[in-house]
Amino acid sequence: MEVNEANNLAIKRSLPNADDKETEPERYKKIKLSETGISSDTGKHTEITEGGLQALPSQQNENNEKEDEEELDNAVLEDDEDDGDTFADMMKYGLVEQDVGITKFVSSHQGFSGILKERYSDFVVHEINKDGKMVVLDDLSVPADDEELSEDIFSVLSAQDKQRLEDLQHFKNKEDSVVIEVVEDTKEKRTVIHQAVKSLFPGLETKTEEKEGKKIIVAYHVAGKTALANPRKHSWPKSRGSYCHFVLYKENKDTMDAINVLSKYLRVKPNIFSYVGTKDKRAITVQEIAVVRITAQRLSHLNKCLMNFKLGNFSYKKYPLKLGELQGNHFTVVLRNITGSDQQVEQAMTSLRDTGFINYYGMQRFGTTAVPTYQVGKAILHNKWSEVMDLILKPRPGERGYLVKCREEWAKTKDPEAALKKLPVKRCVEGQLLRGLAKYGMKNIASAFGMIPRNNRLMYIHSYQSYVWNKIVSKRIEEYGLKAVPGDLVLKGATAVPIEESDVEKHTIHDVVMPLPGFDVLYPKHKIGKAYEEMMAADGLDINNMKHKIRDYSLSGAYRKIIICPENVTWEVLVYDDNKIPLVHTDVEKLEGTPLPESSKDGKYKALKMDFSLPPSTYATMAIREVLKMDTSIKNQTQLNTVWLR
């Protein structure tokens, strides 16, 4: 295998057609890789995007949740108005691959250009569960034991009754119960009302009473405020598993946003949902979700209410889902308007299948603004909390939208409460940090930073680990090429051991792992081990002392393969005339019997459609980078796009 240096190869963009209704800002959105389902991540590490990082649903500040929901829509609308210009301006100050150590290729084929994510439907991700089965949406039916619930439960309550019950559910009214008058009083009608209240408003119980000779239904709280997060045990059949598992198909919405939407419609807390991995926004993704004591029928009813979502494949089980319990993700990716010849495509895809790609951490790992996430991580490891605060909150060149006024207010006053008032969406990292500063004060920034959900805090130091790993892996490949050498590390079970001279012929580069820096890992026994030490020393860190006085920020380290070979690799070259024509047959289209449009045999454009599976924490962008031989950074693509359109 040959090692090839990265070079700046232009990525071609299509000029807008006269009849194309997409605006220029929408075209910029096509290349917002940080929002895509590009990482085959387990969900353990959350990627940051340019709009501020949202807190995980299970860890959002409950006291402020409703306030945030009411403000969210206006903030999103305000931010979307200048989204294209915002993104293009901000990317002038963003990172390119070389900044984070992504500099090598393994293949020798000639690169070619193509358009990634012309449409979000050009990127389809299916989760691969822990049993190795690809998760698909192919059944919308409801399990038989739910069928006793009448469809009338969704219409039997008036809008006024629903509002009063919702207020009662969230402890917003002064009364401790709500009376529902029964029109056309029959036992059957009362039964439906009882079912409706219990199904639609978890935490409420009902009883029938008589008042002035008439039957009334009284709704009341059965278990105090804890009932919202932990729905009634006694109203759930004992023979049924407590968790309803279902397949969630979503379009152009990340997992955490999707769960927020589902919880809002179901009137429950987001933390009763569980999943094995997060899927990002600009894609069609299919994954398994589990929810505590919500019936399949209630979930199925959402298919009538929500756009760009489909829920199905319902089943009841006795356990939730756990982050990381998956084998990976399967990707179907369409690269449009490719310039490569059939021979180039064949060489590129054969190399991807047989040799693989360098397992770099992708660009979305490091943020998309002028403040890389690894810089924040380095400041945390140094225990420099004022610097951490400044890096997260200071104004950022080229940024627009709702965060700008907040940052400006902070820079001017250093008053967290004043800055918070300028921030309509307070669930982002900036909002959580400002809340912490308002609570703990400027002399206890570490505790204020702790207001940010743990996964999001750890994302910063994981970003620094990833930065070091990328840089050192490029050095390793430059020094020793793409073969195993004595002193490299390989795994025996979960333990890393160095390759001895006598065993070197038994191993290939596909066996070699490199450590993410930490206190519980072994480093290579050749000069690359010293390179780790030198790089971290240059950053003012001691590789032999990776324990932090705050336990959460102590890095134990981990091992990661240098080269990944995708599985189930297939590809085909398609021709088409219309940029809007779909080239991937989605699960929903298959369910609905919608055929794909017939492809033209003499189309003006060529597209490369490829399928492949990747293990967790592996970045599909890095596989695509190896095929196209192009810089996947948003800054590079935005600049190329802007220049080409002039």
Side-chain angles (χ1 to χ4, degrees):
M1 288 186 285
E2 300 178 18
V3 180
N4 290 272
E5 293 286 345
N7 47 40
N8 290 324
L9 294 167
I11 178 169
K12 189 175 181 182
R13 301 289 172 190
S14 56
L15 283 168
N17 298 323
D19 59 347
D20 195 341
K21 294 181 180 178
E22 280 189 317
T23 64
E24 201 57 44
E26 286 172 326
R27 291 188 169 270
Y28 283 116
K29 289 181 189 177
K30 290 176 184 174
I31 54 175
K32 292 171 71 171
L33 298 184
S34 66
E35 292 187 348
T36 68
I38 283 174
S39 164
S40 179
D41 211 325
T42 64
K44 289 181 179 177
H45 308 303
T46 307
E47 311 302 348
I48 196 164
T49 62
E50 75 284 354
L53 181 66
Q54 281 207 335
L56 291 170
S58 61
Q59 298 177 351
Q60 288 166 353
N61 188 320
E62 294 180 3
N63 294 330
N64 299 289
E65 212 169 59
K66 189 67 177 177
E67 173 190 349
D68 289 343
E69 285 177 3
E70 290 168 353
E71 294 170 326
L72 186 60
D73 292 338
N74 290 336
V76 170
L77 288 172
E78 174 188 328
D79 201 33
D80 279 351
E81 287 175 1
D82 57 0
D83 189 67
D85 291 337
T86 300
F87 199 70
D89 290 345
M90 190 162 53
M91 285 305 98
K92 295 174 186 175
Y93 307 94
L95 298 168
V96 294
E97 287 184 347
Q98 191 171 358
D99 295 330
V100 293
I102 302 173
T103 58
K104 305 292 182 183
F105 294 103
V106 300
S107 56
S108 58
H109 72 271
Q110 182 182 350
F112 52 92
S113 68
I115 304 176
L116 176 61
K117 305 190 80 112
E118 173 89 4
R119 303 159 55 90
Y120 65 76
S121 56
D122 286 347
F123 205 100
V124 179
V125 187
H126 285 86
E127 199 166 70
I128 301 172
N129 66 21
K130 64 181 180 180
D131 299 321
K133 182 181 177 183
M134 191 166 80
V135 175
V136 296
L137 180 76
D138 58 9
D139 182 4
L140 300 181
S141 65
V142 172
D145 67 342
D146 262 357
E147 290 176 357
E148 76 274 11
L149 289 177
S150 166
E151 189 69 22
D152 292 341
I153 68 169
F154 301 105
S155 57
V156 70
L157 296 172
S158 68
Q160 184 180 6
D161 284 338
K162 287 179 180 177
Q163 185 61 57
R164 291 166 61 222
L165 288 164
E166 183 174 354
D167 289 345
L168 175 67
Q169 181 193 36
H170 291 98
F171 297 91
K172 285 190 168 183
N173 51 10
K174 296 177 181 178
E175 294 79 21
D176 56 7
S177 64
V178 165
V179 173
I180 302 168
E181 293 187 6
V182 184
V183 183
E184 302 173 12
D185 183 21
T186 63
K187 185 175 181 180
E188 291 76 16
K189 186 67 175 286
R190 292 197 302 273
T191 299
V192 173
I193 294 175
H194 284 296
Q195 288 179 338
V197 174
K198 293 174 184 179
S199 297
L200 299 177
F201 301 93
L204 299 186
E205 188 55 271
T206 56
K207 59 185 177 181
T208 301
E209 292 183 352
E210 193 165 314
K211 183 179 180 182
E212 297 176 357
K214 292 183 179 180
K215 294 284 178 70
I216 60 170
I217 292 175
V218 179
Y220 59 97
H221 273 286
V222 70
K225 294 190 177 183
T226 58
L228 274 178
N230 185 20
R232 310 158 313 285
K233 292 184 179 179
H234 63 274
S235 66
W236 193 262
K238 291 181 180 179
S239 60
R240 181 196 289 166
S242 293
Y243 298 88
C244 184
H245 288 231
F246 62 95
V247 171
L248 172 65
Y249 168 103
K250 61 183 180 62
E251 299 180 358
N252 207 28
K253 185 79 81 172
D254 69 38
T255 300
M256 289 177 280
D257 282 342
I259 284 176
N260 279 328
V261 170
L262 296 180
S263 63
K264 187 174 180 180
Y265 273 82
L266 293 168
R267 300 182 179 90
V268 296
K269 296 291 184 184
N271 61 5
I272 71 171
F273 291 87
S274 58
Y275 43 88
V276 298
T278 58
K279 305 291 180 282
D280 292 318
K281 180 178 179 182
R282 192 162 174 76
I284 290 175
T285 68
V286 184
Q287 68 183 117
E288 190 174 2
I289 304 287
V291 62
V292 182
R293 291 195 171 100
I294 298 292
T295 65
Q297 186 172 37
R298 281 188 67 193
L299 293 167
S300 176
H301 185 71
L302 296 179
N303 287 332
K304 302 175 183 178
C305 313
L306 299 176
M307 292 181 61
N308 300 330
F309 288 87
K310 257 323 183 235
L311 286 66
N313 296 81
F314 302 103
S315 63
Y316 293 106
K317 299 180 182 178
K318 295 180 179 179
Y319 52 84
L321 295 170
K322 294 182 180 178
L323 279 174
E325 286 191 343
L326 75 166
Q327 289 195 17
N329 292 289
H330 183 81
F331 296 86
T332 303
V333 179
V334 172
L335 302 173
R336 293 187 184 243
N337 201 15
I338 60 168
T339 60
S341 65
D342 288 351
Q343 183 181 4
Q344 282 177 286
V345 170
E346 186 75 16
Q347 288 175 343
M349 293 305 299
T350 301
S351 175
L352 181 68
R353 181 191 65 197
D354 298 342
T355 305
F357 61 96
I358 302 171
N359 193 20
Y360 287 124
Y361 286 95
M363 294 301 297
Q364 63 268 46
R365 184 72 154 181
F366 306 103
T368 58
T369 69
V371 180
T373 51
Y374 67 80
Q375 287 185 4
V376 180
K378 184 166 66 173
I380 293 169
L381 295 175
H382 275 296
N383 221 31
K384 295 181 177 177
W385 294 105
S386 291
E387 184 178 342
V388 171
M389 176 183 69
D390 184 53
L391 286 169
I392 293 174
L393 295 178
K394 70 180 182 180
R396 301 182 180 190
E399 189 175 59
R400 296 189 200 170
Y402 63 83
L403 278 169
V404 173
K405 292 177 182 177
C406 169
R407 295 192 195 282
E408 288 174 348
E409 182 66 31
W410 173 255
K412 182 172 66 177
T413 66
K414 290 293 188 288
D415 181 343
E417 292 184 352
L420 264 174
K421 289 178 181 176
K422 303 283 186 179
L423 186 63
V425 180
K426 297 174 177 61
R427 279 186 295 212
C428 60
V429 160
E430 292 83 357
Q432 298 282 11
L433 178 55
L434 287 168
R435 280 175 172 157
L437 291 168
K439 180 176 181 178
Y440 293 104
M442 300 286 282
K443 292 184 179 179
N444 195 356
I445 300 171
S447 293
F449 183 71
M451 290 283 286
I452 298 169
R454 183 175 183 272
N455 277 28
N456 302 116
R457 285 182 276 125
L458 296 184
M459 177 269 304
Y460 291 113
I461 54 175
H462 292 155
S463 176
Y464 179 74
Q465 283 181 302
S466 306
Y467 169 74
V468 172
W469 195 91
N470 278 2
K471 290 269 189 180
I472 298 297
V473 163
S474 290
K475 281 183 180 290
R476 156 63 183 78
I477 291 173
E478 184 176 326
E479 188 69 35
Y480 297 114
L482 294 168
K483 63 181 187 298
V485 299
D488 275 335
L489 302 178
V490 293
L491 290 178
K492 288 191 175 179
T495 306
V497 296
I499 299 176
E500 301 294 340
E501 185 83 47
S502 58
D503 292 332
V504 72
E505 296 300 323
K506 298 177 183 177
H507 297 285
T508 71
I509 192 67
H510 295 97
D511 301 320
V512 177
V513 297
M514 295 275 282
L516 283 90
F519 61 78
D520 196 27
V521 291
L522 186 69
Y523 292 92
K525 298 300 182 182
H526 44 51
K527 64 175 66 176
I528 297 304
K530 187 70 175 174
Y532 273 97
E533 188 175 338
E534 291 170 351
M535 178 178 175
M536 295 188 67
D539 285 339
L541 295 167
D542 181 359
I543 200 169
N544 298 310
N545 184 20
M546 296 300 290
K547 291 195 174 181
H548 197 282
K549 68 178 186 179
I550 299 176
R551 187 176 177 182
D552 265 357
Y553 311 135
S554 292
L555 293 175
S556 60
Y559 298 100
R560 182 176 176 89
K561 283 195 170 186
I562 292 181
I563 303 293
I564 290 290
C565 262
E567 296 183 352
N568 309 310
V569 179
T570 61
W571 67 91
E572 62 179 319
V573 175
L574 307 170
V575 293
Y576 64 99
D577 286 311
D578 184 356
N579 287 331
K580 296 188 180 72
I581 191 172
L583 298 176
V584 178
H585 209 191
T586 68
D587 288 4
V588 167
E589 288 169 340
K590 291 174 186 176
L591 266 172
E592 294 174 346
T594 306
L596 268 178
E598 289 188 15
S599 58
S600 167
K601 294 182 180 179
D602 303 306
K604 292 184 290 185
Y605 309 110
K606 284 200 305 183
L608 170 59
K609 179 184 175 185
M610 51 182 170
D611 279 81
F612 54 90
S613 300
L614 294 177
S617 297
T618 307
Y619 288 76
T621 34
M622 296 296 99
I624 294 164
R625 169 186 182 268
E626 189 68 43
V627 170
L628 293 179
K629 291 284 187 77
M630 75 176 202
D631 185 327
T632 60
S633 70
I634 306 170
K635 176 179 180 178
N636 185 61
Q637 293 186 41
T638 305
Q639 287 175 340
L640 289 168
N641 191 52
T642 304
V643 169
W644 200 81
L645 286 172
R646 282 175 180 162

